[in-house]
Amino acid sequence: MSTANVMRVARKITKAVLSREQMDGVGAKVYRSIGTHALRNLDPFLMLDEFDVRAPGGFPDHPHRGFETVTYMLEGEFLHEDFKGHKGHLGPGDLQWMSAAKGIVHAEIPANGNRAHGLQLWVNLAKKDKYSEPNYQEFPAEKVVEVVPEEGINIKVIAGESYGTHSPVMTRTPTMFIDVKLKKGKTMEQVIPKSFNGFIYTISGTALFGGDKHKAEAHHTLVLSENGGTYVPVESLSDDCHFVVIAGEPIGEPVVQHGPFVLNTTQEIYQAFADYQHGRNGFEGAPEWTSSIRDKWM
């Protein structure tokens, strides 16, 4: 047996949390994964929501500071607009990686009366990046890189790498976000850097996850062990197996969160509210701004 095989360690599942349906925004249904009392934070991740929204539900005008939001559409269409004039339209398979950094005010609502279903991940930023200029990375579905290691294994590389295929997304906080669909009986292994914290979120189907073959169905968050493992194996037990593997380099700094603001100290939170209310330090123009899409379904 080679040395490589002896040294190889699989990540195990150390905690499994079922995401329960809750309401967020205005009449928007979400299954919250990271960001609940059961799983508050998983450095560097602050929140993962599987959203399932129909008009008139949505997420009207609201601010952010200190982190990044990643919106990945699975089905349907979303409209996006921010207070700097940036507008977007997300369809099935489209990706928006938004770094709110020092300040963004925006709105996100369904584009039509159909179901809008997707994932939104909040990735924390290190102190050195929290007051950077906001920016967007937007990729239509056809630009989201995909790899098919064999028939019945379909992988989209949102961020990071899978089976030698690299995403073009730049991540200020080193992050991987891998979308996997497996047919029944198929197995795959996702390589994960040893230092990364990570988890799996199950969207549909049933599979055996990790070195301990943990069986899980839809809407579960499976926290990966910090055992020095460098990969996570998965074996599908159904034809509709769909999940995401998300992992990132821990930041290791204090996290003080109040709603849409995530900073390092309570004083910075107070400052964020004052800046937002008075339209300064990145929130210039915010107090008087109203999105053109806010009242689309009113």
Side-chain angles (χ1 to χ4, degrees):
M1 184 181 285
S2 70
T3 305
N5 285 334
V6 171
M7 299 299 290
R8 215 158 163 261
V9 177
R11 298 277 189 120
K12 296 180 179 180
I13 307 305
T14 60
K15 187 174 187 177
V17 179
L18 175 63
S19 296
R20 300 191 184 279
E21 182 184 311
Q22 64 184 76
M23 303 308 289
D24 194 39
V26 175
K29 181 174 72 176
V30 301
Y31 292 93
R32 184 152 294 164
S33 161
I34 308 295
T36 63
H37 289 297
L39 203 53
R40 175 53 63 196
N41 298 139
L42 187 65
D43 189 12
F45 305 110
L46 303 163
M47 191 190 82
L48 177 70
D49 277 354
E50 178 186 356
F51 59 85
D52 195 338
V53 187
R54 288 181 186 270
F59 307 95
D61 308 3
H62 60 280
H64 294 297
R65 174 180 277 179
F67 61 100
E68 301 188 318
T69 69
V70 183
T71 305
Y72 178 49
M73 293 300 295
L74 299 172
E75 179 186 342
E77 300 172 63
F78 242 42
L79 297 176
H80 171 270
E81 180 184 338
D82 78 18
F83 77 141
K84 298 293 189 184
H86 184 91
K87 296 183 179 183
H89 185 285
L90 297 175
D94 290 354
L95 169 69
Q96 180 195 78
W97 198 291
M98 182 187 84
S99 187
K102 70 177 184 180
I104 280 285
V105 186
H106 72 161
E108 306 152 290
I109 66 165
N112 51 44
N114 298 326
R115 178 192 195 201
H117 178 215
L119 300 174
Q120 186 170 93
L121 175 71
W122 289 13
V123 185
N124 200 11
L125 288 170
K127 185 178 181 67
K128 65 181 178 64
D129 294 321
K130 285 185 180 293
Y131 293 95
S132 301
E133 290 297 322
N135 79 294
Y136 290 88
Q137 298 175 80
E138 294 177 314
F139 295 85
E142 62 270 18
K143 295 288 180 66
V144 175
V145 293
E146 190 168 2
V147 58
V148 183
E150 64 180 77
E151 188 177 347
I153 303 177
N154 293 79
I155 300 170
K156 292 185 178 181
V157 188
I158 308 304
E161 176 189 356
S162 187
Y163 286 87
T165 298
H166 295 259
S167 166
V169 170
M170 185 281 291
T171 60
R172 281 191 169 115
T173 301
T175 304
M176 58 186 298
F177 186 152
I178 312 296
D179 175 23
V180 183
K181 290 183 178 179
L182 300 177
K183 292 296 186 184
K184 186 176 182 178
K186 292 294 182 178
T187 61
M188 64 85 70
E189 292 183 352
Q190 177 57 48
V191 173
I192 300 176
K194 188 182 295 188
S195 62
F196 279 22
N197 286 338
F199 67 98
I200 292 168
Y201 180 72
T202 57
I203 298 167
S204 64
T206 309
L208 302 175
F209 295 93
D212 48 352
K213 296 185 180 293
H214 180 98
K215 186 177 180 180
E217 298 176 340
H219 309 305
H220 280 81
T221 302
L222 310 175
V223 179
L224 300 177
S225 60
E226 298 174 34
N227 63 345
T230 55
Y231 76 102
V232 58
V234 182
E235 178 185 349
S236 175
L237 300 178
S238 66
D239 267 338
D240 61 342
C241 182
H242 188 191
F243 60 92
V244 290
V245 183
I246 297 174
E249 188 72 55
I251 295 171
E253 295 176 353
V255 175
V256 181
Q257 180 173 353
H258 196 294
F261 302 135
V262 184
L263 298 157
N264 298 109
T265 67
T266 303
Q267 182 56 44
E268 286 178 297
I269 294 292
Y270 291 144
Q271 187 64 53
F273 275 104
D275 288 346
Y276 175 54
Q277 288 164 0
H278 297 290
R280 63 194 183 204
N281 298 327
F283 285 116
E284 287 78 7
E288 58 269 21
W289 180 76
T290 301
S291 70
S292 65
I293 61 175
R294 185 189 70 171
D295 300 326
K296 180 178 174 69
W297 300 112
M298 296 301 174

